[in-house]
Amino acid sequence: MAKVRGDKLYVTVPNLFRCPISMDVMRSPVSLCTGVTYDRTSIQRWLDSGHDTCPATMQVLPSKDFIPNLTLHRLIRLWLLSADPPSPDHRPSADHLRALLPAFDHDLAGTLSKIAEFAKSSADNRRLLAAFSGFDSAVVRALAGSSSKISPSENAVFLLDSVLRENGNPDRIRRLILDAREQCFDSMTSVLRNGSLKSKIETVRVLEFLACDSQSKKSISETRGLLPLVASLLKDGQEELNDAVLSFLGVVSVSHSAKVELVDCGVVAAVSELLRACSTAAATAERCLRVLAVVATCAEGRAAMAADAWCASAVVERVAKAKKEAAEDAVAVLWSLCCLGGSVKVRDDVAKRNGVAVMLLVMQSGWEEHVRNMCVDLIKVLKGACKNGLGLELGCYDTKTTHIKPC
């Protein structure tokens, strides 16, 4: 049924069609064992947050399974087709969004919550926000002003992450955040310390997005305590969070001071443990190799890796399994430790792990000259430590292995 208020037409939504949680029209109605029907997205979020009760009745659920309510789904579809206007789209109009933006200044938490819920409901909504003039600056302003409140900070980070992934104006957003660097980073630090797992992942992704050039990487790495805080998240054991953190650290750690700071906070041990874990996915292992390759370019990093009982052997184990770029990182780590760092202990560990054979295997693939040269250097160094009687004569990389081309 439609009602007229003033000069505007409103659609009256039957209560039966509204989700008891979101109060919006259900797009995919499902019923719990209690008989109450909810929108699938809303009830799944309720159950995933750890609840074991029916939100409407508060009965303890003997089963968290739900089944589609096909009859109600058909009724809602028929109603949507017959309603005037065609659907009760709760999406704010351009005028509505424009009116909401100034509200950031006097109702920060409430406005962020409303817009975050709007963005979560569909990809179309996120694209609308990404294209809306002034939205990016309003959210950055909100992020800068919400450092003492975790919920607004989480919503601001979520909205920024959503806008970035929907191809907003990336250069403008970077500039806005870096211009308000201290306040924005305070808010992101608060989320990294006290936010939900999802918010932490989104925050690390936003930080990696910001690290697009040497100046921005410098700004991030010089923020007191930020890199150690991000690195400490590797201990949480969450795969998606680990991947985000490793990807960020592999990008941002370009200065010597940043690398030393990471070494001092124990990143080598954390990455080494991840790398040697049997359950570590290939993509995660490759990110581990990238971080180690970056840290290995400083003496402090090489010393930490040499002192770690398992780091070098874990790298050797992953060389042959990694994709080309990650395998190159692994070779660079081993070369840094055995040739540049000259660690006898590491050389012996690598040799015991059939390091010579691994390097020969690596060289069968198409590699750039500098990688082949590192492999040759490694073979020469490892030859002296090798105790398995290979008898390789590689003074000029003269080999009788015909399927490996000499330099």
Side-chain angles (χ1 to χ4, degrees), residues 104-190:
F104 278 123
D105 297 325
H106 59 80
D107 183 18
L108 179 64
T111 305
L112 278 172
S113 179
K114 289 176 185 177
I115 296 183
E117 283 302 313
F118 168 68
K120 291 173 185 175
S121 63
S122 74
D124 285 341
N125 288 357
R126 292 189 288 275
R127 282 190 284 271
L128 174 67
L129 288 172
F132 192 81
S133 176
F135 172 72
D136 49 7
S137 59
V139 176
V140 172
R141 191 170 71 249
L143 178 66
S146 62
S147 60
S148 61
K149 301 173 184 177
I150 187 63
S151 181
S153 295
E154 286 186 308
N155 282 328
V157 166
F158 161 72
L159 289 168
L160 280 173
D161 186 50
S162 299
V163 171
L164 300 179
R165 291 209 272 165
E166 293 299 339
N167 299 318
N169 190 333
D171 291 335
R172 172 178 163 80
I173 294 174
R174 286 191 188 100
R175 187 176 67 254
L176 288 169
I177 294 177
L178 292 174
D179 284 348
R181 172 184 137 187
E182 185 174 343
Q183 295 91 336
C184 286
F185 284 1
D186 281 349
S187 295
M188 286 190 273
T189 296
S190 176

Coordinates of all heavy atoms in Angstrom, one line a residue, residues 104-190:
F104 N 28.5 14.5 10.2 CA 29.7 13.9 10.8 C 30.3 14.8 11.9 O 30.9 14.3 12.9 CB 30.8 13.8 9.7 CG 30.7 12.5 8.9 CD1 30.6 12.6 7.5 CD2 30.7 11.3 9.4 CE1 30.5 11.5 6.7 CE2 30.6 10.1 8.7 CZ 30.5 10.2 7.3
D105 N 30.1 16.1 11.8 CA 30.7 17.1 12.7 C 29.9 17.1 14.1 O 30.5 17.5 15.1 CB 30.7 18.5 12.1 CG 31.6 18.5 10.9 OD1 32.6 17.8 10.8 OD2 31.3 19.3 9.9
H106 N 28.6 16.7 14.1 CA 27.9 16.8 15.4 C 27.3 15.5 15.8 O 26.9 15.3 17.0 CB 26.8 17.9 15.3 CG 25.8 17.7 14.2 ND1 24.8 16.8 14.4 CD2 25.7 18.2 13.0 CE1 24.0 16.8 13.2 NE2 24.6 17.6 12.4
D107 N 27.3 14.5 14.9 CA 26.8 13.1 15.3 C 27.7 12.1 14.6 O 27.2 11.4 13.7 CB 25.3 13.0 14.9 CG 24.8 11.6 15.4 OD1 25.4 11.0 16.3 OD2 23.8 11.2 14.9
L108 N 29.0 12.1 15.0 CA 29.9 11.3 14.3 C 29.6 9.8 14.3 O 29.5 9.1 13.3 CB 31.3 11.5 14.9 CG 32.5 10.6 14.3 CD1 32.7 11.1 12.9 CD2 33.7 10.9 15.2
A109 N 29.3 9.3 15.5 CA 29.1 7.8 15.7 C 27.8 7.4 14.9 O 27.8 6.4 14.2 CB 29.0 7.5 17.1
G110 N 26.7 8.2 15.1 CA 25.4 7.8 14.5 C 25.5 7.9 13.0 O 25.0 7.0 12.3
T111 N 26.1 8.9 12.4 CA 26.2 9.1 11.0 C 27.0 8.0 10.4 O 26.7 7.4 9.3 CB 26.8 10.4 10.6 OG1 26.0 11.5 11.3 CG2 26.7 10.7 9.1
L112 N 28.2 7.7 11.0 CA 29.1 6.6 10.5 C 28.3 5.3 10.5 O 28.5 4.5 9.5 CB 30.3 6.5 11.3 CG 31.4 7.5 10.9 CD1 32.6 7.4 12.0 CD2 32.0 7.3 9.6
S113 N 27.6 5.0 11.5 CA 26.9 3.8 11.7 C 25.8 3.6 10.6 O 25.7 2.6 9.9 CB 26.2 3.7 13.0 OG 25.5 2.5 13.2
K114 N 25.1 4.7 10.3 CA 24.1 4.7 9.2 C 24.7 4.4 7.9 O 24.2 3.6 7.1 CB 23.3 6.0 9.2 CG 22.4 6.2 10.4 CD 21.7 7.6 10.3 CE 20.9 7.9 11.6 NZ 20.3 9.3 11.5
I115 N 25.8 5.1 7.6 CA 26.4 5.0 6.2 C 27.1 3.6 6.1 O 27.1 3.0 5.1 CB 27.3 6.1 6.0 CG1 26.5 7.5 5.9 CG2 28.1 5.9 4.6 CD1 27.3 8.7 5.6
A116 N 27.7 3.1 7.2 CA 28.3 1.8 7.2 C 27.3 0.7 6.9 O 27.6 -0.2 6.1 CB 29.1 1.6 8.5
E117 N 26.1 0.8 7.5 CA 25.1 -0.2 7.3 C 24.6 -0.1 5.9 O 24.4 -1.2 5.2 CB 23.9 0.0 8.3 CG 24.2 -0.5 9.7 CD 24.5 -2.0 9.7 OE1 23.8 -2.7 9.1 OE2 25.5 -2.3 10.4
F118 N 24.5 1.1 5.3 CA 24.1 1.2 4.0 C 25.1 0.6 3.0 O 24.8 -0.1 2.1 CB 24.0 2.7 3.7 CG 23.9 3.1 2.2 CD1 22.7 2.7 1.5 CD2 24.9 3.8 1.6 CE1 22.6 3.1 0.2 CE2 24.8 4.1 0.3 CZ 23.6 3.8 -0.5
A119 N 26.4 0.8 3.3 CA 27.5 0.3 2.5 C 27.5 -1.2 2.5 O 27.9 -1.9 1.5 CB 28.8 0.9 2.9
K120 N 27.2 -1.8 3.7 CA 27.3 -3.3 3.9 C 26.2 -4.0 3.1 O 26.4 -5.2 2.8 CB 27.2 -3.6 5.3 CG 28.5 -3.2 6.2 CD 28.2 -3.4 7.6 CE 29.4 -2.9 8.5 NZ 29.2 -3.0 9.9
S121 N 25.2 -3.3 2.8 CA 24.0 -4.0 2.2 C 24.2 -4.4 0.8 O 23.6 -5.4 0.4 CB 22.7 -3.1 2.3 OG 22.9 -1.9 1.6
S122 N 25.0 -3.8 0.0 CA 25.2 -4.2 -1.4 C 26.4 -3.5 -2.1 O 26.8 -2.5 -1.6 CB 23.9 -3.8 -2.2 OG 23.8 -2.5 -2.5
A123 N 26.9 -4.2 -3.1 CA 28.0 -3.6 -3.9 C 27.6 -2.3 -4.6 O 28.4 -1.4 -4.8 CB 28.5 -4.6 -4.9
D124 N 26.3 -2.3 -5.0 CA 25.8 -1.1 -5.7 C 25.9 0.1 -4.7 O 26.2 1.2 -5.2 CB 24.3 -1.3 -6.1 CG 24.2 -2.2 -7.4 OD1 25.3 -2.4 -8.0 OD2 23.2 -2.7 -7.6
N125 N 25.5 -0.1 -3.5 CA 25.6 1.0 -2.5 C 27.0 1.5 -2.3 O 27.3 2.7 -2.2 CB 25.0 0.6 -1.2 CG 23.5 0.4 -1.2 OD1 22.9 0.7 -2.2 ND2 23.0 -0.1 -0.1
R126 N 28.0 0.5 -2.3 CA 29.4 0.9 -2.1 C 29.9 1.7 -3.3 O 30.6 2.6 -3.2 CB 30.2 -0.3 -1.9 CG 29.9 -1.0 -0.5 CD 30.9 -2.0 -0.2 NE 30.8 -3.2 -1.0 CZ 29.9 -4.2 -0.7 NH1 29.1 -4.1 0.4 NH2 29.8 -5.3 -1.5
R127 N 29.4 1.3 -4.5 CA 29.8 2.0 -5.7 C 29.3 3.4 -5.7 O 29.9 4.4 -6.2 CB 29.4 1.3 -7.0 CG 30.3 0.1 -7.3 CD 30.0 -0.5 -8.7 NE 28.8 -1.3 -8.6 CZ 28.8 -2.6 -8.4 NH1 29.9 -3.2 -8.1 NH2 27.7 -3.3 -8.4
L128 N 28.0 3.6 -5.2 CA 27.4 4.9 -5.2 C 28.2 5.8 -4.2 O 28.5 6.9 -4.5 CB 26.0 4.7 -4.6 CG 25.2 6.0 -4.4 CD1 25.0 6.8 -5.7 CD2 23.9 5.8 -3.7
L129 N 28.6 5.3 -3.1 CA 29.4 6.0 -2.1 C 30.7 6.4 -2.7 O 31.2 7.6 -2.5 CB 29.6 5.2 -0.8 CG 28.4 5.1 0.1 CD1 28.7 4.1 1.2 CD2 27.9 6.4 0.6
A130 N 31.4 5.5 -3.4 CA 32.7 5.7 -4.0 C 32.6 6.9 -5.0 O 33.6 7.6 -5.1 CB 33.2 4.5 -4.6
A131 N 31.5 7.0 -5.7 CA 31.4 8.0 -6.7 C 30.8 9.3 -6.2 O 30.8 10.3 -6.9 CB 30.5 7.5 -7.9
F132 N 30.4 9.3 -4.9 CA 29.7 10.5 -4.4 C 30.6 11.6 -4.0 O 31.5 11.4 -3.2 CB 28.8 10.1 -3.2 CG 27.8 11.2 -2.8 CD1 26.6 11.3 -3.5 CD2 28.1 12.0 -1.8 CE1 25.7 12.3 -3.1 CE2 27.3 13.0 -1.4 CZ 26.1 13.2 -2.1
S133 N 30.5 12.8 -4.6 CA 31.4 13.9 -4.3 C 31.4 14.3 -2.9 O 30.3 14.5 -2.3 CB 31.0 15.1 -5.2 OG 31.8 16.2 -4.9
G134 N 32.6 14.4 -2.3 CA 32.7 14.8 -0.9 C 32.7 13.7 0.1 O 33.0 13.9 1.3
F135 N 32.3 12.5 -0.3 CA 32.2 11.4 0.7 C 33.6 11.0 1.2 O 33.7 10.8 2.4 CB 31.6 10.2 0.0 CG 31.6 9.0 0.9 CD1 30.8 8.8 2.0 CD2 32.5 7.9 0.6 CE1 30.8 7.7 2.8 CE2 32.5 6.8 1.4 CZ 31.7 6.7 2.5
D136 N 34.6 10.9 0.4 CA 35.9 10.5 0.8 C 36.5 11.5 1.9 O 37.0 11.1 2.9 CB 36.9 10.4 -0.4 CG 36.9 11.5 -1.3 OD1 36.2 12.6 -1.0 OD2 37.5 11.5 -2.4
S137 N 36.4 12.8 1.6 CA 36.9 13.7 2.6 C 36.1 13.7 3.9 O 36.7 13.9 5.0 CB 36.9 15.2 2.0 OG 35.6 15.5 1.6
A138 N 34.8 13.5 3.8 CA 34.0 13.4 5.0 C 34.4 12.2 5.9 O 34.5 12.3 7.1 CB 32.5 13.3 4.7
V139 N 34.7 11.1 5.3 CA 35.1 9.9 6.0 C 36.5 10.0 6.6 O 36.7 9.6 7.7 CB 35.0 8.6 5.1 CG1 35.5 7.4 5.9 CG2 33.6 8.4 4.7
V140 N 37.4 10.6 5.8 CA 38.8 10.9 6.4 C 38.7 11.8 7.5 O 39.4 11.6 8.6 CB 39.7 11.4 5.3 CG1 41.0 11.9 5.9 CG2 39.9 10.4 4.2
R141 N 37.8 12.8 7.4 CA 37.7 13.8 8.5 C 37.1 13.1 9.8 O 37.5 13.3 10.9 CB 36.7 14.9 8.1 CG 36.6 16.1 9.1 CD 35.9 17.3 8.5 NE 34.5 17.0 8.4 CZ 33.8 16.9 7.2 NH1 34.5 16.9 6.1 NH2 32.5 16.7 7.2
A142 N 36.2 12.1 9.5 CA 35.6 11.3 10.6 C 36.6 10.4 11.2 O 36.7 10.3 12.5 CB 34.4 10.5 10.1
L143 N 37.5 9.8 10.4 CA 38.5 8.9 10.9 C 39.5 9.7 11.8 O 39.9 9.3 12.9 CB 39.3 8.3 9.8 CG 40.4 7.4 10.2 CD1 39.9 6.1 10.9 CD2 41.2 7.0 9.0
A144 N 39.8 10.9 11.4 CA 40.8 11.8 12.1 C 40.2 12.2 13.4 O 40.9 12.4 14.4 CB 41.1 13.0 11.3
G145 N 38.8 12.3 13.5 CA 38.2 12.8 14.8 C 37.7 11.7 15.7 O 37.0 12.0 16.6
S146 N 38.0 10.4 15.4 CA 37.3 9.3 16.1 C 38.3 8.5 16.9 O 38.0 7.3 17.3 CB 36.5 8.4 15.2 OG 37.3 7.8 14.2
S147 N 39.5 9.0 17.1 CA 40.6 8.1 17.7 C 40.2 7.6 19.1 O 40.7 6.5 19.5 CB 41.9 8.9 17.8 OG 41.7 10.1 18.6
S148 N 39.4 8.3 19.9 CA 39.1 7.8 21.2 C 37.9 6.9 21.3 O 37.5 6.4 22.3 CB 38.9 9.0 22.1 OG 37.8 9.8 21.6
K149 N 37.3 6.7 20.1 CA 36.0 5.9 20.1 C 36.2 4.7 19.1 O 36.4 5.0 17.9 CB 34.8 6.7 19.7 CG 34.6 7.9 20.6 CD 33.5 8.8 20.1 CE 33.3 10.0 21.0 NZ 32.3 11.0 20.5
I150 N 36.2 3.5 19.5 CA 36.5 2.4 18.7 C 35.5 2.1 17.6 O 35.8 1.8 16.5 CB 36.8 1.1 19.5 CG1 37.3 0.0 18.6 CG2 35.5 0.7 20.3 CD1 38.6 0.2 18.0
S151 N 34.2 2.2 17.9 CA 33.2 1.9 16.9 C 33.2 2.9 15.7 O 33.2 2.4 14.6 CB 31.8 1.9 17.6 OG 30.8 1.6 16.7
P152 N 33.2 4.2 16.0 CA 33.3 5.1 14.8 C 34.6 4.9 14.0 O 34.6 4.9 12.8 CB 33.3 6.5 15.4 CG 32.7 6.3 16.7 CD 33.0 4.9 17.2
S153 N 35.7 4.6 14.7 CA 37.0 4.3 14.0 C 36.8 3.1 13.1 O 37.3 3.1 11.9 CB 38.1 4.1 15.0 OG 38.4 5.3 15.7
E154 N 36.2 2.0 13.6 CA 36.0 0.8 12.8 C 35.1 1.1 11.6 O 35.4 0.6 10.5 CB 35.4 -0.3 13.7 CG 36.3 -0.9 14.7 CD 35.7 -2.1 15.4 OE1 34.6 -1.9 16.0 OE2 36.3 -3.2 15.4
N155 N 34.1 1.8 11.8 CA 33.2 2.1 10.7 C 33.9 3.0 9.6 O 33.7 2.8 8.4 CB 31.9 2.8 11.2 CG 30.9 1.9 11.8 OD1 30.8 0.7 11.4 ND2 30.2 2.3 12.8
A156 N 34.7 4.0 10.1 CA 35.4 4.8 9.1 C 36.4 4.0 8.3 O 36.6 4.2 7.1 CB 36.1 5.9 9.9
V157 N 37.1 3.1 9.0 CA 38.1 2.2 8.3 C 37.4 1.4 7.3 O 37.8 1.2 6.1 CB 38.9 1.4 9.3 CG1 39.6 0.3 8.6 CG2 39.9 2.3 10.0
F158 N 36.2 0.8 7.7 CA 35.5 -0.1 6.8 C 35.0 0.7 5.5 O 35.1 0.2 4.4 CB 34.2 -0.6 7.5 CG 33.2 -1.1 6.5 CD1 33.3 -2.3 5.8 CD2 32.0 -0.4 6.3 CE1 32.4 -2.7 4.9 CE2 31.0 -0.8 5.4 CZ 31.2 -1.9 4.7
L159 N 34.5 1.9 5.8 CA 34.1 2.8 4.6 C 35.2 3.1 3.7 O 35.1 3.1 2.5 CB 33.4 4.0 5.1 CG 32.0 3.8 5.8 CD1 31.5 5.0 6.5 CD2 31.0 3.4 4.7
L160 N 36.4 3.4 4.3 CA 37.5 3.7 3.4 C 38.0 2.5 2.6 O 38.2 2.6 1.4 CB 38.7 4.2 4.3 CG 38.7 5.7 4.7 CD1 39.8 6.0 5.7 CD2 38.8 6.6 3.5
D161 N 38.0 1.4 3.3 CA 38.4 0.1 2.6 C 37.4 -0.2 1.5 O 37.7 -0.6 0.4 CB 38.4 -1.0 3.6 CG 38.9 -2.3 3.0 OD1 40.0 -2.3 2.3 OD2 38.3 -3.3 3.1
S162 N 36.1 0.1 1.7 CA 35.0 -0.2 0.7 C 35.2 0.8 -0.5 O 35.1 0.4 -1.6 CB 33.7 0.0 1.4 OG 33.4 -0.9 2.4
V163 N 35.5 2.0 -0.2 CA 35.6 3.0 -1.2 C 36.8 2.7 -2.1 O 36.8 2.7 -3.3 CB 35.7 4.4 -0.7 CG1 36.1 5.4 -1.8 CG2 34.4 4.9 0.0
L164 N 37.9 2.3 -1.5 CA 39.2 2.0 -2.2 C 38.9 0.8 -3.1 O 39.4 0.8 -4.3 CB 40.3 1.7 -1.2 CG 40.7 2.9 -0.3 CD1 41.8 2.4 0.6 CD2 41.1 4.1 -1.1
R165 N 38.2 -0.2 -2.6 CA 38.0 -1.4 -3.4 C 37.0 -1.2 -4.5 O 36.9 -2.0 -5.4 CB 37.6 -2.6 -2.5 CG 38.7 -3.0 -1.6 CD 38.6 -4.5 -1.3 NE 37.8 -4.7 -0.1 CZ 37.3 -5.8 0.3 NH1 37.5 -6.9 -0.5 NH2 36.6 -5.9 1.4
E166 N 36.2 -0.1 -4.4 CA 35.3 0.2 -5.5 C 35.8 1.3 -6.4 O 35.0 2.0 -7.0 CB 33.9 0.7 -4.8 CG 33.2 -0.4 -4.1 CD 32.8 -1.6 -5.0 OE1 32.7 -1.5 -6.2 OE2 32.6 -2.7 -4.4
N167 N 37.1 1.5 -6.4 CA 37.8 2.4 -7.3 C 37.3 3.8 -7.1 O 36.8 4.5 -8.0 CB 37.5 2.0 -8.8 CG 38.1 0.6 -9.0 OD1 39.2 0.3 -8.6 ND2 37.4 -0.2 -9.7
G168 N 37.4 4.3 -5.9 CA 37.1 5.7 -5.6 C 38.2 6.6 -6.2 O 38.8 6.3 -7.3
N169 N 38.6 7.6 -5.5 CA 39.7 8.5 -6.0 C 40.9 8.2 -5.1 O 41.1 8.9 -4.1 CB 39.2 10.0 -5.8 CG 40.2 10.9 -6.5 OD1 41.4 10.6 -6.7 ND2 39.7 12.1 -6.9
P170 N 41.7 7.2 -5.5 CA 42.8 6.7 -4.6 C 43.8 7.8 -4.3 O 44.2 7.9 -3.1 CB 43.4 5.6 -5.3 CG 43.0 5.8 -6.8 CD 41.7 6.4 -6.7
D171 N 44.2 8.6 -5.3 CA 45.3 9.6 -5.0 C 44.8 10.7 -4.0 O 45.5 11.1 -3.1 CB 45.7 10.2 -6.3 CG 46.5 9.3 -7.2 OD1 47.1 8.3 -6.6 OD2 46.5 9.4 -8.4
R172 N 43.5 11.0 -4.2 CA 42.9 12.1 -3.3 C 42.8 11.5 -1.9 O 43.1 12.2 -0.9 CB 41.5 12.5 -3.8 CG 40.8 13.4 -2.9 CD 39.4 13.8 -3.6 NE 38.5 14.3 -2.6 CZ 38.5 15.5 -2.1 NH1 39.5 16.4 -2.5 NH2 37.6 16.0 -1.2
I173 N 42.4 10.3 -1.7 CA 42.2 9.7 -0.4 C 43.6 9.6 0.3 O 43.7 9.8 1.5 CB 41.5 8.3 -0.5 CG1 40.1 8.5 -1.0 CG2 41.5 7.6 0.8 CD1 39.4 7.2 -1.3
R174 N 44.6 9.1 -0.5 CA 45.9 9.1 0.1 C 46.4 10.4 0.6 O 46.9 10.5 1.8 CB 46.9 8.6 -0.9 CG 46.9 7.1 -1.3 CD 48.1 6.7 -2.1 NE 47.9 5.4 -2.6 CZ 47.5 5.0 -3.8 NH1 47.2 6.0 -4.7 NH2 47.5 3.8 -4.2
R175 N 46.2 11.4 -0.2 CA 46.6 12.8 0.2 C 45.8 13.3 1.4 O 46.4 13.8 2.4 CB 46.4 13.7 -1.0 CG 47.0 15.1 -0.7 CD 46.8 16.0 -1.9 NE 45.4 16.3 -2.2 CZ 44.7 15.8 -3.2 NH1 45.3 14.9 -4.0 NH2 43.5 16.2 -3.4
L176 N 44.5 13.0 1.5 CA 43.7 13.4 2.6 C 44.2 12.8 3.9 O 44.3 13.4 5.0 CB 42.3 13.1 2.3 CG 41.5 14.0 1.3 CD1 40.2 13.4 0.9 CD2 41.4 15.4 1.8
I177 N 44.4 11.5 3.9 CA 44.8 10.7 5.1 C 46.2 11.2 5.5 O 46.5 11.4 6.7 CB 44.8 9.2 4.8 CG1 43.3 8.8 4.6 CG2 45.4 8.5 6.0 CD1 43.2 7.3 4.3
L178 N 47.1 11.3 4.6 CA 48.5 11.6 4.9 C 48.6 13.1 5.4 O 49.5 13.4 6.2 CB 49.5 11.4 3.8 CG 49.6 9.9 3.4 CD1 50.5 9.7 2.1 CD2 50.3 9.1 4.6
D179 N 47.7 13.9 4.9 CA 47.7 15.3 5.4 C 47.2 15.4 6.9 O 47.7 16.2 7.7 CB 46.7 16.2 4.6 CG 47.4 16.5 3.2 OD1 48.6 16.3 3.1 OD2 46.6 17.0 2.3
A180 N 46.3 14.4 7.3 CA 45.9 14.4 8.7 C 46.5 13.1 9.3 O 45.9 12.4 10.1 CB 44.3 14.2 8.7
R181 N 47.7 12.9 9.0 CA 48.4 11.7 9.4 C 48.3 11.3 10.8 O 48.0 10.2 11.2 CB 49.9 11.8 8.9 CG 50.8 10.6 9.4 CD 52.2 10.9 9.0 NE 53.1 10.6 10.1 CZ 54.4 10.8 10.1 NH1 55.0 11.4 9.1 NH2 55.2 10.5 11.1
E182 N 48.7 12.2 11.7 CA 48.8 11.9 13.1 C 47.4 11.5 13.7 O 47.3 10.4 14.3 CB 49.3 13.1 13.9 CG 49.5 12.8 15.4 CD 50.1 14.0 16.1 OE1 50.7 14.9 15.4 OE2 50.0 14.0 17.3
Q183 N 46.4 12.2 13.4 CA 45.0 11.9 13.9 C 44.5 10.6 13.3 O 43.9 9.8 14.0 CB 44.0 13.0 13.6 CG 44.4 14.3 14.4 CD 45.3 15.2 13.5 OE1 46.0 14.8 12.6 NE2 45.2 16.5 13.8
C184 N 44.7 10.4 11.9 CA 44.2 9.2 11.3 C 44.9 8.0 11.7 O 44.3 6.9 12.0 CB 44.3 9.4 9.7 SG 43.2 10.5 9.0
F185 N 46.2 8.1 11.9 CA 47.0 6.9 12.3 C 46.7 6.6 13.8 O 46.8 5.4 14.2 CB 48.5 7.2 12.2 CG 49.0 7.1 10.7 CD1 48.1 6.8 9.7 CD2 50.3 7.2 10.4 CE1 48.5 6.7 8.4 CE2 50.7 7.1 9.0 CZ 49.8 6.9 8.1
D186 N 46.4 7.6 14.6 CA 45.9 7.3 16.0 C 44.7 6.5 16.0 O 44.5 5.5 16.8 CB 45.7 8.6 16.7 CG 46.9 9.3 17.2 OD1 48.0 8.7 17.2 OD2 46.9 10.5 17.6
S187 N 43.7 6.8 15.1 CA 42.5 6.0 15.0 C 42.8 4.6 14.5 O 42.2 3.6 15.1 CB 41.5 6.7 14.1 OG 41.1 8.0 14.6
M188 N 43.6 4.5 13.5 CA 43.9 3.2 13.0 C 44.7 2.3 14.0 O 44.5 1.1 14.1 CB 44.7 3.3 11.7 CG 43.8 3.7 10.5 SD 44.6 3.6 8.9 CE 45.4 5.2 8.8
T189 N 45.5 3.0 14.8 CA 46.3 2.3 15.8 C 45.3 1.7 16.9 O 45.4 0.6 17.4 CB 47.3 3.2 16.5 OG1 48.3 3.6 15.6 CG2 48.0 2.5 17.7
S190 N 44.3 2.5 17.2 CA 43.2 2.1 18.1 C 42.5 0.9 17.6 O 42.2 -0.1 18.4 CB 42.3 3.3 18.4 OG 41.2 2.9 19.2

